[in-house]
Amino acid sequence: MKRIKFDEQFFEIDPNETVLQSLLRNNMQVPYGCKAGVCQSCLMRCLDEIPVPSSSQIGLSALQQKENYFLACVCMPENDMTLALPNKEQVWLEAKVVEKEFVSDNVMILTIQSKDPFAFFAGQFVNLRNRAGTIRSYSIANTPNAAHTLVFHIRILPNGQFSRWAASELDIGMTLSFSHAQGNCHYLEGKSEQSLLLIGSGTGLAPLYGIIEDALENHHHTGEIHLFHGSRDATGLYFETKLDELSQHHANFHYTPCLSGVNPDKHRYTQGRVNQIALEKFTKLDGWRVYLCGQSDMVLQSKRMAYLQGAALKEIFADAFLS
Amino acid sequence: MSDTLNTANATLFEQLGGEGAVNAAVDIFYRKVLMDDRINRFFEGVDMDKQAVKQKAFLTMAFGGPANYSGQDMRNGHAKLVEMGLNDSHFDAVVENLATTLTELGVSDALIGQVAAIAETTRVDVLGK
């Protein structure tokens, strides 16, 4: 059995247990968020000279990897480990809520305004933290602007600790902490004639909407841009009017709303799973750039299909949401 | 890929075009492997980005470039697949996909033969013999 040493105490790791699970089981106070190796809230450092499992370093910078940083929530130790929290605590910035709008039964658009200027690309994500210390990752659905506002599409989940709080208790004027922007799911400059395929389910629309706005408004993208947004039923689709307007103003932007469940209007909505519809319509993706956001099975499956249909791996940007 | 650099002194890796050639080949090669019904079941459920990194390391080695892993790593990495039934026919299929990739990229048969010969040296470790 492997042992970890943290805060001058030793803890055992049970079979199939992660470092984070062991620490929490032993009532250690350590920060964490997604428990899935994405949000990096549980970043720790191993002080031993033995390398940590590389699977617990995915998404970290080359320097962090070299310095034996790892994510506690996805680390199953292969050796005994001496652990420390990172020297630099995660930097939390402050913002206040400026707008809150429900656009469907379970989707809320939250706009916050950063106290200080804030650098990001539309489509990246930040961690939001409420006063109770609950942390969740959300994609940024707008582009950098002079007012330093950030827009998020928040799906209200029945048991969502953060989303239910945001829906019921978070009010305009209240403050909220947020982290620096992370992730590589954003628009890339320099290939404005490239065809873009964007596939999103549910609030996977958020990063895609930001990327589309960035492409059309800031970079005058001239290549074709095809957005496929899917949900089970029509109440899960939102921003339909905005996206229709966008396609009227930009001849190269095409919007296809898709429903996998009950379809009240067969002319308006394409019937089926959003990723299958998109990837059956565009079977040759050589030279395309592909963005995939939303439910994780859909994203992983689409990534493989897009690659097999000719998209280069480095041209596929995927953001798998956890629920 | 560069066939112009065919001086007697150039290494195989240089003759093929070095890292640039590996990058050009890896997307084509890995796609062929995933589409090949003889072998793609061994790649089900794997993380594509991590797998692409491994494919790149393999191609670099087969192209005569620096090898970043040992025979023991190869053994450990494929042990589960051997349990799943990985055998000589699957190894042959991978080498075949590698050769087809290089043909598509315009590499001469002579150089492809050299690459295949290097790939061949990993057979015993990959198959845990």
Side-chain angles (χ1 to χ4, degrees):
Chain A
M1 193 172 286
K2 306 291 178 247
R3 286 198 314 173
I4 52 173
K5 184 183 177 191
F6 176 69
D7 201 15
E8 300 306 312
Q9 300 172 69
F10 287 95
F11 304 111
E12 304 222 307
I13 303 272
D14 285 342
N16 295 322
E17 196 176 39
T18 65
V19 168
L20 179 66
Q21 283 166 341
S22 172
L23 291 170
L24 295 177
R25 182 166 56 78
N26 289 292
N27 300 317
M28 287 292 104
Q29 299 263 335
V30 288
Y32 66 93
C34 72
K35 293 191 185 168
V38 177
C39 78
Q40 303 192 0
S41 300
C42 65
L43 184 71
M44 296 191 89
R45 188 175 182 188
C46 176
L47 303 176
D48 309 308
E49 295 202 352
I50 312 159
V52 300
S54 57
S55 55
S56 65
Q57 294 188 305
I58 293 168
L60 303 184
S61 72
L63 183 67
Q64 284 175 318
Q65 294 186 3
K66 210 174 118 210
E67 293 185 336
N68 248 357
Y69 282 93
F70 68 97
L71 301 174
C73 72
V74 287
C75 180
M76 295 199 182
E78 289 161 2
N79 301 287
D80 290 350
M81 296 170 86
T82 311
L83 310 177
L85 287 171
N87 296 336
K88 238 186 354 188
E89 291 245 320
Q90 179 163 32
V91 178
W92 289 101
L93 308 161
E94 204 173 283
K96 71 169 193 283
V97 177
V98 290
E99 214 180 316
K100 192 176 148 177
E101 183 198 356
F102 286 87
V103 287
S104 79
D105 290 352
N106 58 8
V107 178
M108 181 180 102
I109 310 296
L110 177 71
T111 307
I112 65 172
Q113 182 171 37
S114 173
K115 259 179 71 181
D116 303 298
F118 176 71
F120 69 92
F121 294 105
Q124 285 192 297
F125 68 89
V126 300
N127 294 328
L128 297 182
R129 187 182 69 173
N130 69 13
R131 249 174 279 175
T134 308
I135 299 169
R136 291 290 180 273
S137 303
Y138 287 102
S139 298
I140 309 172
N142 65 329
T143 54
N145 56 79
H148 317 311
T149 58
L150 297 168
V151 178
F152 308 102
H153 300 179
I154 295 182
R155 172 145 186 250
I156 320 296
L157 297 161
N159 298 310
Q161 241 180 312
F162 187 93
S163 61
R164 282 183 58 87
W165 168 83
S168 57
E169 291 176 49
L170 186 62
D171 272 330
I172 289 169
M174 280 169 65
T175 58
L176 193 65
S177 303
F178 70 102
S179 71
H180 285 292
Q182 303 168 45
N184 61 2
C185 191
H186 57 79
Y187 185 77
L188 290 176
E189 279 183 68
K191 280 192 186 171
S192 60
E193 74 300 334
Q194 194 174 23
S195 297
L196 307 185
L197 177 63
L198 304 100
I199 305 174
S201 62
T203 49
L205 179 64
L208 304 182
Y209 190 79
I211 289 164
I212 291 164
E213 189 180 295
D214 205 17
L216 291 174
E217 309 293 337
N218 298 337
H219 297 286
H220 308 289
H221 193 88
T222 54
E224 298 296 309
I225 303 177
H226 294 272
L227 168 70
F228 292 80
H229 184 210
S231 174
R232 195 175 311 138
D233 46 54
T235 58
L237 295 179
Y238 58 95
F239 274 19
E240 282 186 61
T241 316
K242 280 182 192 233
L243 291 164
D244 281 337
E245 280 171 12
L246 209 56
S247 61
Q248 281 153 19
H249 290 139
H250 299 273
N252 62 332
F253 174 68
H254 314 276
Y255 166 52
T256 310
C258 308
L259 294 176
S260 61
V262 180
N263 190 342
D265 183 349
K266 294 259 189 313
H267 293 290
R268 169 68 184 165
Y269 306 109
T270 309
Q271 180 75 44
R273 296 200 174 273
V274 62
N275 54 335
Q276 283 170 2
I277 292 165
L279 292 164
E280 277 167 22
K281 174 143 190 206
F282 298 105
T283 51
K284 290 247 177 275
L285 296 171
D286 305 71
W288 285 59
R289 193 184 304 158
V290 181
Y291 293 95
L292 308 164
C293 301
Q295 194 247 338
S296 60
D297 286 348
M298 184 284 281
V299 166
L300 294 179
Q301 194 194 14
S302 309
K303 192 170 168 184
R304 192 177 173 112
M305 285 171 69
Y307 172 61
L308 292 180
Q309 289 175 209
L313 270 183
K314 64 171 173 23
E315 295 285 0
I316 306 176
F317 298 88
D319 208 343
F321 286 11
L322 312 150
S323 50
Chain B
M1 287 197 203
S2 167
D3 264 7
T4 53
L5 195 78
N6 50 9
T7 63
N9 294 331
T11 65
L12 174 64
F13 193 56
E14 286 165 348
Q15 289 183 64
L16 286 166
E19 204 193 336
V22 173
N23 289 335
V26 71
D27 247 37
I28 300 172
F29 170 66
Y30 183 33
R31 190 176 290 119
K32 282 190 191 301
V33 166
L34 288 182
M35 290 175 82
D36 187 338
D37 288 336
R38 292 173 297 177
I39 47 179
N40 53 15
R41 71 181 176 98
F42 295 107
F43 295 88
E44 258 169 37
V46 301
D47 181 294
M48 288 179 57
D49 293 314
K50 277 193 257 175
Q51 190 58 36
V53 171
K54 289 183 191 166
Q55 302 288 3
K56 193 176 163 184
F58 168 65
L59 290 189
T60 304
M61 185 275 302
F63 283 21
N68 291 323
Y69 50 87
S70 66
Q72 192 60 46
D73 290 337
M74 283 289 233
R75 248 166 218 279
N76 298 342
H78 292 88
K80 277 203 184 118
L81 303 182
V82 173
E83 278 173 36
M84 281 168 66
L86 190 75
N87 63 34
D88 282 299
S89 73
H90 306 119
F91 189 90
D92 293 342
V94 170
V95 175
E96 185 189 311
N97 282 310
L98 178 55
T100 326
T101 301
L102 294 175
T103 305
E104 275 177 33
L105 290 166
V107 176
S108 70
D109 287 348
L111 291 184
I112 292 175
Q114 291 187 48
V115 171
I118 298 178
E120 191 58 44
T121 62
T122 65
R123 183 185 293 262
V124 286
D125 287 320
V126 167
L127 298 179
K129 288 185 177 175

